[in-house]
Amino acid sequence: MDISDQSEHRVKIYTDGACSGNPGPGGWAAVLFWRDAKKEISGFVEETTNQRMELMAAIRGLEALKKPCAVDLFSDSAYLINAFHKRWLVSWQRNGWVNSKKEPVANQDLWALLLELADTHEIVWHKVRGHSDNVYNNRCDELARAEILRAKG
């Protein structure tokens, strides 16, 4: 089934990750839109990095989908978006998960999860400006930071 033409399976996901220190406590968040429905999800990781939280936000947003969907995923993370747009993931896999500096690719465990999810859904990756005028990216940032603050008590 070609899901890209069926609006009933088209979803928009906005994501963001945050970290207090790098590494340090981190939060991730996603805002999902399907038809007229909106769902906000977020979570906390005790010791992590900003990059991992950006990836985790995308992973958790995609994992929240109950069936294969056509997804427009929006992120302010150049790290996340460029891995797909510039085909870094293809190169990393071809080179045995070694980057251009001949070092092991960071966050390989999360990239592997994202690749599995990308095989399940038809995803268009969109880069948005962070901390700018995108209301949903800003909302994700608020949610991710709130997770960190809540954990700090």
Side-chain angles (χ1 to χ4, degrees), residues 105-143:
V105 172
N107 306 310
Q108 182 180 339
D109 57 333
L110 299 182
W111 288 120
L113 284 171
L114 265 175
L115 284 169
E116 284 180 37
L117 292 162
D119 282 345
T120 301
H121 306 285
E122 292 180 15
I123 306 171
V124 178
W125 304 90
H126 301 274
K127 174 76 171 69
V128 298
R129 287 187 55 205
H131 314 286
S132 185
D133 59 354
N134 187 299
V135 65
Y136 301 117
N137 178 257
N138 290 339
R139 178 62 181 150
C140 287
D141 183 62
E142 289 173 15
L143 292 167

PDB file of all heavy atoms in Angstrom, residues 105-143:
ATOM      1  N   VAL A 105      31.096   5.652  14.941  1.00  0.00           N
ATOM      2  CA  VAL A 105      29.987   6.603  14.899  1.00  0.00           C
ATOM      3  C   VAL A 105      29.367   6.704  16.288  1.00  0.00           C
ATOM      4  O   VAL A 105      29.049   5.688  16.908  1.00  0.00           O
ATOM      5  CB  VAL A 105      28.923   6.158  13.868  1.00  0.00           C
ATOM      6  CG1 VAL A 105      27.680   7.020  13.951  1.00  0.00           C
ATOM      7  CG2 VAL A 105      29.510   6.197  12.467  1.00  0.00           C
ATOM      8  N   ALA A 106      29.224   7.941  16.769  1.00  0.00           N
ATOM      9  CA  ALA A 106      28.586   8.163  18.067  1.00  0.00           C
ATOM     10  C   ALA A 106      27.095   7.837  17.971  1.00  0.00           C
ATOM     11  O   ALA A 106      26.476   8.017  16.923  1.00  0.00           O
ATOM     12  CB  ALA A 106      28.774   9.617  18.492  1.00  0.00           C
ATOM     13  N   ASN A 107      26.556   7.351  19.039  1.00  0.00           N
ATOM     14  CA  ASN A 107      25.112   7.094  19.154  1.00  0.00           C
ATOM     15  C   ASN A 107      24.594   6.032  18.194  1.00  0.00           C
ATOM     16  O   ASN A 107      23.427   6.061  17.788  1.00  0.00           O
ATOM     17  CB  ASN A 107      24.318   8.396  18.991  1.00  0.00           C
ATOM     18  CG  ASN A 107      24.797   9.467  19.939  1.00  0.00           C
ATOM     19  OD1 ASN A 107      24.929   9.221  21.128  1.00  0.00           O
ATOM     20  ND2 ASN A 107      25.085  10.644  19.425  1.00  0.00           N
ATOM     21  N   GLN A 108      25.453   5.091  17.859  1.00  0.00           N
ATOM     22  CA  GLN A 108      25.088   4.057  16.892  1.00  0.00           C
ATOM     23  C   GLN A 108      23.833   3.301  17.322  1.00  0.00           C
ATOM     24  O   GLN A 108      23.003   2.941  16.477  1.00  0.00           O
ATOM     25  CB  GLN A 108      26.253   3.089  16.707  1.00  0.00           C
ATOM     26  CG  GLN A 108      25.980   2.011  15.691  1.00  0.00           C
ATOM     27  CD  GLN A 108      27.145   1.064  15.523  1.00  0.00           C
ATOM     28  OE1 GLN A 108      28.280   1.384  15.853  1.00  0.00           O
ATOM     29  NE2 GLN A 108      26.866  -0.112  15.015  1.00  0.00           N
ATOM     30  N   ASP A 109      23.658   3.085  18.620  1.00  0.00           N
ATOM     31  CA  ASP A 109      22.477   2.362  19.096  1.00  0.00           C
ATOM     32  C   ASP A 109      21.193   3.100  18.720  1.00  0.00           C
ATOM     33  O   ASP A 109      20.208   2.491  18.280  1.00  0.00           O
ATOM     34  CB  ASP A 109      22.548   2.144  20.604  1.00  0.00           C
ATOM     35  CG  ASP A 109      22.698   3.441  21.411  1.00  0.00           C
ATOM     36  OD1 ASP A 109      23.247   4.443  20.901  1.00  0.00           O
ATOM     37  OD2 ASP A 109      22.267   3.455  22.578  1.00  0.00           O
ATOM     38  N   LEU A 110      21.192   4.422  18.854  1.00  0.00           N
ATOM     39  CA  LEU A 110      20.000   5.204  18.520  1.00  0.00           C
ATOM     40  C   LEU A 110      19.813   5.324  17.012  1.00  0.00           C
ATOM     41  O   LEU A 110      18.687   5.290  16.516  1.00  0.00           O
ATOM     42  CB  LEU A 110      20.067   6.582  19.172  1.00  0.00           C
ATOM     43  CG  LEU A 110      20.116   6.579  20.702  1.00  0.00           C
ATOM     44  CD1 LEU A 110      20.121   7.998  21.245  1.00  0.00           C
ATOM     45  CD2 LEU A 110      18.967   5.774  21.294  1.00  0.00           C
ATOM     46  N   TRP A 111      20.913   5.448  16.283  1.00  0.00           N
ATOM     47  CA  TRP A 111      20.801   5.493  14.818  1.00  0.00           C
ATOM     48  C   TRP A 111      20.194   4.194  14.293  1.00  0.00           C
ATOM     49  O   TRP A 111      19.379   4.218  13.370  1.00  0.00           O
ATOM     50  CB  TRP A 111      22.165   5.743  14.167  1.00  0.00           C
ATOM     51  CG  TRP A 111      22.677   7.142  14.336  1.00  0.00           C
ATOM     52  CD1 TRP A 111      23.836   7.527  14.959  1.00  0.00           C
ATOM     53  CD2 TRP A 111      22.069   8.345  13.865  1.00  0.00           C
ATOM     54  NE1 TRP A 111      23.959   8.892  14.901  1.00  0.00           N
ATOM     55  CE2 TRP A 111      22.899   9.421  14.236  1.00  0.00           C
ATOM     56  CE3 TRP A 111      20.898   8.617  13.166  1.00  0.00           C
ATOM     57  CZ2 TRP A 111      22.595  10.747  13.923  1.00  0.00           C
ATOM     58  CZ3 TRP A 111      20.593   9.941  12.852  1.00  0.00           C
ATOM     59  CH2 TRP A 111      21.439  10.981  13.236  1.00  0.00           C
ATOM     60  N   ALA A 112      20.579   3.068  14.877  1.00  0.00           N
ATOM     61  CA  ALA A 112      20.028   1.778  14.437  1.00  0.00           C
ATOM     62  C   ALA A 112      18.515   1.744  14.662  1.00  0.00           C
ATOM     63  O   ALA A 112      17.760   1.278  13.794  1.00  0.00           O
ATOM     64  CB  ALA A 112      20.716   0.628  15.169  1.00  0.00           C
ATOM     65  N   LEU A 113      18.044   2.255  15.803  1.00  0.00           N
ATOM     66  CA  LEU A 113      16.602   2.330  16.051  1.00  0.00           C
ATOM     67  C   LEU A 113      15.905   3.242  15.041  1.00  0.00           C
ATOM     68  O   LEU A 113      14.834   2.905  14.529  1.00  0.00           O
ATOM     69  CB  LEU A 113      16.335   2.853  17.463  1.00  0.00           C
ATOM     70  CG  LEU A 113      16.538   1.889  18.620  1.00  0.00           C
ATOM     71  CD1 LEU A 113      16.447   2.629  19.951  1.00  0.00           C
ATOM     72  CD2 LEU A 113      15.504   0.780  18.559  1.00  0.00           C
ATOM     73  N   LEU A 114      16.523   4.371  14.766  1.00  0.00           N
ATOM     74  CA  LEU A 114      15.931   5.297  13.790  1.00  0.00           C
ATOM     75  C   LEU A 114      15.840   4.676  12.407  1.00  0.00           C
ATOM     76  O   LEU A 114      14.856   4.876  11.687  1.00  0.00           O
ATOM     77  CB  LEU A 114      16.741   6.591  13.715  1.00  0.00           C
ATOM     78  CG  LEU A 114      16.258   7.733  14.575  1.00  0.00           C
ATOM     79  CD1 LEU A 114      17.208   8.907  14.513  1.00  0.00           C
ATOM     80  CD2 LEU A 114      14.860   8.168  14.194  1.00  0.00           C
ATOM     81  N   LEU A 115      16.856   3.924  12.023  1.00  0.00           N
ATOM     82  CA  LEU A 115      16.823   3.262  10.713  1.00  0.00           C
ATOM     83  C   LEU A 115      15.690   2.249  10.631  1.00  0.00           C
ATOM     84  O   LEU A 115      15.014   2.149   9.608  1.00  0.00           O
ATOM     85  CB  LEU A 115      18.163   2.593  10.418  1.00  0.00           C
ATOM     86  CG  LEU A 115      19.280   3.547  10.018  1.00  0.00           C
ATOM     87  CD1 LEU A 115      20.625   2.831  10.016  1.00  0.00           C
ATOM     88  CD2 LEU A 115      18.989   4.174   8.661  1.00  0.00           C
ATOM     89  N   GLU A 116      15.464   1.511  11.704  1.00  0.00           N
ATOM     90  CA  GLU A 116      14.343   0.561  11.730  1.00  0.00           C
ATOM     91  C   GLU A 116      13.015   1.296  11.563  1.00  0.00           C
ATOM     92  O   GLU A 116      12.142   0.864  10.805  1.00  0.00           O
ATOM     93  CB  GLU A 116      14.322  -0.209  13.051  1.00  0.00           C
ATOM     94  CG  GLU A 116      15.351  -1.289  13.171  1.00  0.00           C
ATOM     95  CD  GLU A 116      15.252  -2.007  14.511  1.00  0.00           C
ATOM     96  OE1 GLU A 116      14.124  -2.211  15.008  1.00  0.00           O
ATOM     97  OE2 GLU A 116      16.312  -2.362  15.053  1.00  0.00           O
ATOM     98  N   LEU A 117      12.871   2.393  12.279  1.00  0.00           N
ATOM     99  CA  LEU A 117      11.631   3.176  12.191  1.00  0.00           C
ATOM    100  C   LEU A 117      11.480   3.807  10.812  1.00  0.00           C
ATOM    101  O   LEU A 117      10.367   3.897  10.279  1.00  0.00           O
ATOM    102  CB  LEU A 117      11.610   4.238  13.285  1.00  0.00           C
ATOM    103  CG  LEU A 117      11.475   3.662  14.701  1.00  0.00           C
ATOM    104  CD1 LEU A 117      11.884   4.680  15.744  1.00  0.00           C
ATOM    105  CD2 LEU A 117      10.053   3.165  14.946  1.00  0.00           C
ATOM    106  N   ALA A 118      12.583   4.229  10.216  1.00  0.00           N
ATOM    107  CA  ALA A 118      12.532   4.820   8.878  1.00  0.00           C
ATOM    108  C   ALA A 118      12.129   3.786   7.834  1.00  0.00           C
ATOM    109  O   ALA A 118      11.547   4.133   6.799  1.00  0.00           O
ATOM    110  CB  ALA A 118      13.886   5.439   8.521  1.00  0.00           C
ATOM    111  N   ASP A 119      12.394   2.505   8.102  1.00  0.00           N
ATOM    112  CA  ASP A 119      11.957   1.441   7.197  1.00  0.00           C
ATOM    113  C   ASP A 119      10.462   1.170   7.348  1.00  0.00           C
ATOM    114  O   ASP A 119       9.828   0.660   6.434  1.00  0.00           O
ATOM    115  CB  ASP A 119      12.733   0.150   7.468  1.00  0.00           C
ATOM    116  CG  ASP A 119      14.127   0.177   6.878  1.00  0.00           C
ATOM    117  OD1 ASP A 119      14.408   1.045   6.025  1.00  0.00           O
ATOM    118  OD2 ASP A 119      14.955  -0.660   7.287  1.00  0.00           O
ATOM    119  N   THR A 120       9.907   1.497   8.500  1.00  0.00           N
ATOM    120  CA  THR A 120       8.493   1.264   8.767  1.00  0.00           C
ATOM    121  C   THR A 120       7.609   2.370   8.194  1.00  0.00           C
ATOM    122  O   THR A 120       6.509   2.113   7.723  1.00  0.00           O
ATOM    123  CB  THR A 120       8.250   1.178  10.294  1.00  0.00           C
ATOM    124  OG1 THR A 120       9.048   0.116  10.816  1.00  0.00           O
ATOM    125  CG2 THR A 120       6.790   0.929  10.620  1.00  0.00           C
ATOM    126  N   HIS A 121       8.100   3.589   8.250  1.00  0.00           N
ATOM    127  CA  HIS A 121       7.319   4.762   7.844  1.00  0.00           C
ATOM    128  C   HIS A 121       7.953   5.432   6.637  1.00  0.00           C
ATOM    129  O   HIS A 121       9.139   5.268   6.386  1.00  0.00           O
ATOM    130  CB  HIS A 121       7.250   5.769   9.003  1.00  0.00           C
ATOM    131  CG  HIS A 121       6.751   5.182  10.278  1.00  0.00           C
ATOM    132  ND1 HIS A 121       5.419   4.877  10.485  1.00  0.00           N
ATOM    133  CD2 HIS A 121       7.401   4.824  11.421  1.00  0.00           C
ATOM    134  CE1 HIS A 121       5.275   4.369  11.693  1.00  0.00           C
ATOM    135  NE2 HIS A 121       6.457   4.314  12.283  1.00  0.00           N
ATOM    136  N   GLU A 122       7.143   6.200   5.911  1.00  0.00           N
ATOM    137  CA  GLU A 122       7.660   7.055   4.829  1.00  0.00           C
ATOM    138  C   GLU A 122       7.901   8.425   5.447  1.00  0.00           C
ATOM    139  O   GLU A 122       6.958   9.178   5.668  1.00  0.00           O
ATOM    140  CB  GLU A 122       6.655   7.155   3.692  1.00  0.00           C
ATOM    141  CG  GLU A 122       6.460   5.866   2.934  1.00  0.00           C
ATOM    142  CD  GLU A 122       5.444   6.002   1.816  1.00  0.00           C
ATOM    143  OE1 GLU A 122       5.084   7.139   1.436  1.00  0.00           O
ATOM    144  OE2 GLU A 122       4.998   4.958   1.325  1.00  0.00           O
ATOM    145  N   ILE A 123       9.164   8.727   5.729  1.00  0.00           N
ATOM    146  CA  ILE A 123       9.489   9.943   6.472  1.00  0.00           C
ATOM    147  C   ILE A 123      10.129  10.984   5.569  1.00  0.00           C
ATOM    148  O   ILE A 123      11.066  10.685   4.829  1.00  0.00           O
ATOM    149  CB  ILE A 123      10.445   9.634   7.642  1.00  0.00           C
ATOM    150  CG1 ILE A 123       9.865   8.538   8.532  1.00  0.00           C
ATOM    151  CG2 ILE A 123      10.735  10.912   8.445  1.00  0.00           C
ATOM    152  CD1 ILE A 123      10.827   8.003   9.588  1.00  0.00           C
ATOM    153  N   VAL A 124       9.618  12.207   5.664  1.00  0.00           N
ATOM    154  CA  VAL A 124      10.275  13.369   5.069  1.00  0.00           C
ATOM    155  C   VAL A 124      10.837  14.157   6.239  1.00  0.00           C
ATOM    156  O   VAL A 124      10.103  14.544   7.156  1.00  0.00           O
ATOM    157  CB  VAL A 124       9.295  14.224   4.240  1.00  0.00           C
ATOM    158  CG1 VAL A 124      10.006  15.445   3.670  1.00  0.00           C
ATOM    159  CG2 VAL A 124       8.667  13.395   3.120  1.00  0.00           C
ATOM    160  N   TRP A 125      12.148  14.380   6.214  1.00  0.00           N
ATOM    161  CA  TRP A 125      12.854  15.047   7.304  1.00  0.00           C
ATOM    162  C   TRP A 125      12.944  16.535   6.991  1.00  0.00           C
ATOM    163  O   TRP A 125      13.457  16.917   5.945  1.00  0.00           O
ATOM    164  CB  TRP A 125      14.247  14.444   7.465  1.00  0.00           C
ATOM    165  CG  TRP A 125      14.218  12.963   7.692  1.00  0.00           C
ATOM    166  CD1 TRP A 125      14.250  11.983   6.739  1.00  0.00           C
ATOM    167  CD2 TRP A 125      14.119  12.294   8.955  1.00  0.00           C
ATOM    168  NE1 TRP A 125      14.186  10.742   7.334  1.00  0.00           N
ATOM    169  CE2 TRP A 125      14.112  10.903   8.693  1.00  0.00           C
ATOM    170  CE3 TRP A 125      14.051  12.739  10.276  1.00  0.00           C
ATOM    171  CZ2 TRP A 125      14.029   9.964   9.709  1.00  0.00           C
ATOM    172  CZ3 TRP A 125      13.980  11.800  11.287  1.00  0.00           C
ATOM    173  CH2 TRP A 125      13.969  10.427  10.999  1.00  0.00           C
ATOM    174  N   HIS A 126      12.489  17.366   7.932  1.00  0.00           N
ATOM    175  CA  HIS A 126      12.477  18.813   7.736  1.00  0.00           C
ATOM    176  C   HIS A 126      13.326  19.494   8.806  1.00  0.00           C
ATOM    177  O   HIS A 126      13.133  19.255  10.004  1.00  0.00           O
ATOM    178  CB  HIS A 126      11.050  19.368   7.860  1.00  0.00           C
ATOM    179  CG  HIS A 126      10.086  18.787   6.879  1.00  0.00           C
ATOM    180  ND1 HIS A 126       9.927  19.285   5.603  1.00  0.00           N
ATOM    181  CD2 HIS A 126       9.215  17.742   6.988  1.00  0.00           C
ATOM    182  CE1 HIS A 126       8.993  18.581   4.981  1.00  0.00           C
ATOM    183  NE2 HIS A 126       8.550  17.638   5.797  1.00  0.00           N
ATOM    184  N   LYS A 127      14.213  20.373   8.384  1.00  0.00           N
ATOM    185  CA  LYS A 127      15.014  21.171   9.326  1.00  0.00           C
ATOM    186  C   LYS A 127      14.278  22.477   9.593  1.00  0.00           C
ATOM    187  O   LYS A 127      13.849  23.160   8.673  1.00  0.00           O
ATOM    188  CB  LYS A 127      16.391  21.457   8.713  1.00  0.00           C
ATOM    189  CG  LYS A 127      17.278  22.391   9.520  1.00  0.00           C
ATOM    190  CD  LYS A 127      17.870  21.703  10.712  1.00  0.00           C
ATOM    191  CE  LYS A 127      18.927  22.537  11.413  1.00  0.00           C
ATOM    192  NZ  LYS A 127      18.444  23.715  12.109  1.00  0.00           N
ATOM    193  N   VAL A 128      14.106  22.806  10.874  1.00  0.00           N
ATOM    194  CA  VAL A 128      13.522  24.083  11.276  1.00  0.00           C
ATOM    195  C   VAL A 128      14.550  24.848  12.097  1.00  0.00           C
ATOM    196  O   VAL A 128      15.459  24.248  12.681  1.00  0.00           O
ATOM    197  CB  VAL A 128      12.207  23.907  12.083  1.00  0.00           C
ATOM    198  CG1 VAL A 128      11.143  23.222  11.246  1.00  0.00           C
ATOM    199  CG2 VAL A 128      12.445  23.143  13.368  1.00  0.00           C
ATOM    200  N   ARG A 129      14.406  26.160  12.123  1.00  0.00           N
ATOM    201  CA  ARG A 129      15.293  26.975  12.956  1.00  0.00           C
ATOM    202  C   ARG A 129      14.912  26.793  14.417  1.00  0.00           C
ATOM    203  O   ARG A 129      13.749  26.907  14.777  1.00  0.00           O
ATOM    204  CB  ARG A 129      15.182  28.448  12.572  1.00  0.00           C
ATOM    205  CG  ARG A 129      15.851  28.729  11.230  1.00  0.00           C
ATOM    206  CD  ARG A 129      15.910  30.200  10.916  1.00  0.00           C
ATOM    207  NE  ARG A 129      16.562  30.926  12.004  1.00  0.00           N
ATOM    208  CZ  ARG A 129      16.354  32.201  12.260  1.00  0.00           C
ATOM    209  NH1 ARG A 129      15.516  32.904  11.543  1.00  0.00           N
ATOM    210  NH2 ARG A 129      16.980  32.794  13.255  1.00  0.00           N
ATOM    211  N   GLY A 130      15.900  26.502  15.234  1.00  0.00           N
ATOM    212  CA  GLY A 130      15.652  26.309  16.654  1.00  0.00           C
ATOM    213  C   GLY A 130      15.469  27.623  17.385  1.00  0.00           C
ATOM    214  O   GLY A 130      16.057  28.642  17.016  1.00  0.00           O
ATOM    215  N   HIS A 131      14.628  27.592  18.403  1.00  0.00           N
ATOM    216  CA  HIS A 131      14.417  28.746  19.278  1.00  0.00           C
ATOM    217  C   HIS A 131      14.080  29.982  18.456  1.00  0.00           C
ATOM    218  O   HIS A 131      14.587  31.071  18.693  1.00  0.00           O
ATOM    219  CB  HIS A 131      15.641  28.981  20.163  1.00  0.00           C
ATOM    220  CG  HIS A 131      16.146  27.728  20.789  1.00  0.00           C
ATOM    221  ND1 HIS A 131      15.493  27.103  21.829  1.00  0.00           N
ATOM    222  CD2 HIS A 131      17.197  26.936  20.485  1.00  0.00           C
ATOM    223  CE1 HIS A 131      16.156  26.010  22.156  1.00  0.00           C
ATOM    224  NE2 HIS A 131      17.178  25.875  21.359  1.00  0.00           N
ATOM    225  N   SER A 132      13.224  29.790  17.488  1.00  0.00           N
ATOM    226  CA  SER A 132      12.861  30.860  16.561  1.00  0.00           C
ATOM    227  C   SER A 132      11.358  31.058  16.587  1.00  0.00           C
ATOM    228  O   SER A 132      10.757  31.116  17.646  1.00  0.00           O
ATOM    229  CB  SER A 132      13.376  30.498  15.159  1.00  0.00           C
ATOM    230  OG  SER A 132      13.151  31.542  14.255  1.00  0.00           O
ATOM    231  N   ASP A 133      10.758  31.105  15.408  1.00  0.00           N
ATOM    232  CA  ASP A 133       9.332  31.418  15.318  1.00  0.00           C
ATOM    233  C   ASP A 133       8.454  30.196  15.072  1.00  0.00           C
ATOM    234  O   ASP A 133       7.277  30.339  14.795  1.00  0.00           O
ATOM    235  CB  ASP A 133       9.104  32.458  14.226  1.00  0.00           C
ATOM    236  CG  ASP A 133       9.579  31.988  12.864  1.00  0.00           C
ATOM    237  OD1 ASP A 133      10.194  30.905  12.781  1.00  0.00           O
ATOM    238  OD2 ASP A 133       9.350  32.704  11.886  1.00  0.00           O
ATOM    239  N   ASN A 134       9.018  28.988  15.196  1.00  0.00           N
ATOM    240  CA  ASN A 134       8.212  27.793  15.001  1.00  0.00           C
ATOM    241  C   ASN A 134       7.577  27.401  16.337  1.00  0.00           C
ATOM    242  O   ASN A 134       8.259  26.912  17.252  1.00  0.00           O
ATOM    243  CB  ASN A 134       9.053  26.647  14.432  1.00  0.00           C
ATOM    244  CG  ASN A 134       8.200  25.457  14.076  1.00  0.00           C
ATOM    245  OD1 ASN A 134       7.549  24.875  14.922  1.00  0.00           O
ATOM    246  ND2 ASN A 134       8.205  25.100  12.803  1.00  0.00           N
ATOM    247  N   VAL A 135       6.290  27.624  16.437  1.00  0.00           N
ATOM    248  CA  VAL A 135       5.580  27.430  17.707  1.00  0.00           C
ATOM    249  C   VAL A 135       5.700  25.993  18.226  1.00  0.00           C
ATOM    250  O   VAL A 135       5.832  25.768  19.430  1.00  0.00           O
ATOM    251  CB  VAL A 135       4.109  27.880  17.594  1.00  0.00           C
ATOM    252  CG1 VAL A 135       3.323  27.013  16.617  1.00  0.00           C
ATOM    253  CG2 VAL A 135       3.435  27.893  18.945  1.00  0.00           C
ATOM    254  N   TYR A 136       5.701  25.009  17.338  1.00  0.00           N
ATOM    255  CA  TYR A 136       5.746  23.620  17.800  1.00  0.00           C
ATOM    256  C   TYR A 136       7.158  23.187  18.179  1.00  0.00           C
ATOM    257  O   TYR A 136       7.334  22.401  19.109  1.00  0.00           O
ATOM    258  CB  TYR A 136       5.119  22.690  16.767  1.00  0.00           C
ATOM    259  CG  TYR A 136       3.693  23.076  16.506  1.00  0.00           C
ATOM    260  CD1 TYR A 136       3.272  23.514  15.259  1.00  0.00           C
ATOM    261  CD2 TYR A 136       2.754  23.061  17.538  1.00  0.00           C
ATOM    262  CE1 TYR A 136       1.964  23.895  15.033  1.00  0.00           C
ATOM    263  CE2 TYR A 136       1.441  23.451  17.323  1.00  0.00           C
ATOM    264  CZ  TYR A 136       1.059  23.867  16.072  1.00  0.00           C
ATOM    265  OH  TYR A 136      -0.241  24.263  15.859  1.00  0.00           O
ATOM    266  N   ASN A 137       8.173  23.707  17.497  1.00  0.00           N
ATOM    267  CA  ASN A 137       9.540  23.447  17.933  1.00  0.00           C
ATOM    268  C   ASN A 137       9.762  24.086  19.296  1.00  0.00           C
ATOM    269  O   ASN A 137      10.366  23.486  20.188  1.00  0.00           O
ATOM    270  CB  ASN A 137      10.551  23.977  16.912  1.00  0.00           C
ATOM    271  CG  ASN A 137      11.974  23.761  17.376  1.00  0.00           C
ATOM    272  OD1 ASN A 137      12.633  24.693  17.833  1.00  0.00           O
ATOM    273  ND2 ASN A 137      12.455  22.530  17.284  1.00  0.00           N
ATOM    274  N   ASN A 138       9.247  25.284  19.477  1.00  0.00           N
ATOM    275  CA  ASN A 138       9.365  25.950  20.775  1.00  0.00           C
ATOM    276  C   ASN A 138       8.626  25.168  21.861  1.00  0.00           C
ATOM    277  O   ASN A 138       9.107  25.062  22.995  1.00  0.00           O
ATOM    278  CB  ASN A 138       8.845  27.381  20.702  1.00  0.00           C
ATOM    279  CG  ASN A 138       9.747  28.273  19.878  1.00  0.00           C
ATOM    280  OD1 ASN A 138      10.925  27.975  19.666  1.00  0.00           O
ATOM    281  ND2 ASN A 138       9.206  29.369  19.392  1.00  0.00           N
ATOM    282  N   ARG A 139       7.477  24.615  21.534  1.00  0.00           N
ATOM    283  CA  ARG A 139       6.729  23.823  22.507  1.00  0.00           C
ATOM    284  C   ARG A 139       7.519  22.575  22.900  1.00  0.00           C
ATOM    285  O   ARG A 139       7.576  22.207  24.087  1.00  0.00           O
ATOM    286  CB  ARG A 139       5.350  23.441  21.949  1.00  0.00           C
ATOM    287  CG  ARG A 139       4.533  22.587  22.869  1.00  0.00           C
ATOM    288  CD  ARG A 139       4.212  23.294  24.182  1.00  0.00           C
ATOM    289  NE  ARG A 139       3.428  22.427  25.060  1.00  0.00           N
ATOM    290  CZ  ARG A 139       3.467  22.471  26.379  1.00  0.00           C
ATOM    291  NH1 ARG A 139       4.200  23.363  27.001  1.00  0.00           N
ATOM    292  NH2 ARG A 139       2.730  21.647  27.090  1.00  0.00           N
ATOM    293  N   CYS A 140       8.134  21.922  21.935  1.00  0.00           N
ATOM    294  CA  CYS A 140       8.954  20.748  22.237  1.00  0.00           C
ATOM    295  C   CYS A 140      10.117  21.131  23.150  1.00  0.00           C
ATOM    296  O   CYS A 140      10.444  20.398  24.091  1.00  0.00           O
ATOM    297  CB  CYS A 140       9.488  20.123  20.948  1.00  0.00           C
ATOM    298  SG  CYS A 140       8.259  19.238  19.990  1.00  0.00           S
ATOM    299  N   ASP A 141      10.726  22.268  22.893  1.00  0.00           N
ATOM    300  CA  ASP A 141      11.818  22.742  23.731  1.00  0.00           C
ATOM    301  C   ASP A 141      11.324  22.954  25.166  1.00  0.00           C
ATOM    302  O   ASP A 141      11.988  22.547  26.133  1.00  0.00           O
ATOM    303  CB  ASP A 141      12.402  24.037  23.156  1.00  0.00           C
ATOM    304  CG  ASP A 141      13.590  24.529  23.954  1.00  0.00           C
ATOM    305  OD1 ASP A 141      14.608  23.802  24.018  1.00  0.00           O
ATOM    306  OD2 ASP A 141      13.508  25.632  24.523  1.00  0.00           O
ATOM    307  N   GLU A 142      10.158  23.566  25.323  1.00  0.00           N
ATOM    308  CA  GLU A 142       9.572  23.784  26.656  1.00  0.00           C
ATOM    309  C   GLU A 142       9.345  22.453  27.372  1.00  0.00           C
ATOM    310  O   GLU A 142       9.666  22.314  28.556  1.00  0.00           O
ATOM    311  CB  GLU A 142       8.221  24.499  26.545  1.00  0.00           C
ATOM    312  CG  GLU A 142       8.282  25.940  26.145  1.00  0.00           C
ATOM    313  CD  GLU A 142       6.878  26.511  25.893  1.00  0.00           C
ATOM    314  OE1 GLU A 142       5.873  25.870  26.303  1.00  0.00           O
ATOM    315  OE2 GLU A 142       6.788  27.571  25.269  1.00  0.00           O
ATOM    316  N   LEU A 143       8.765  21.500  26.660  1.00  0.00           N
ATOM    317  CA  LEU A 143       8.479  20.195  27.259  1.00  0.00           C
ATOM    318  C   LEU A 143       9.760  19.467  27.668  1.00  0.00           C
ATOM    319  O   LEU A 143       9.826  18.878  28.754  1.00  0.00           O
ATOM    320  CB  LEU A 143       7.671  19.329  26.291  1.00  0.00           C
ATOM    321  CG  LEU A 143       6.244  19.766  26.007  1.00  0.00           C
ATOM    322  CD1 LEU A 143       5.680  19.002  24.808  1.00  0.00           C
ATOM    323  CD2 LEU A 143       5.368  19.562  27.234  1.00  0.00           C
TER     324      LEU A 143
END
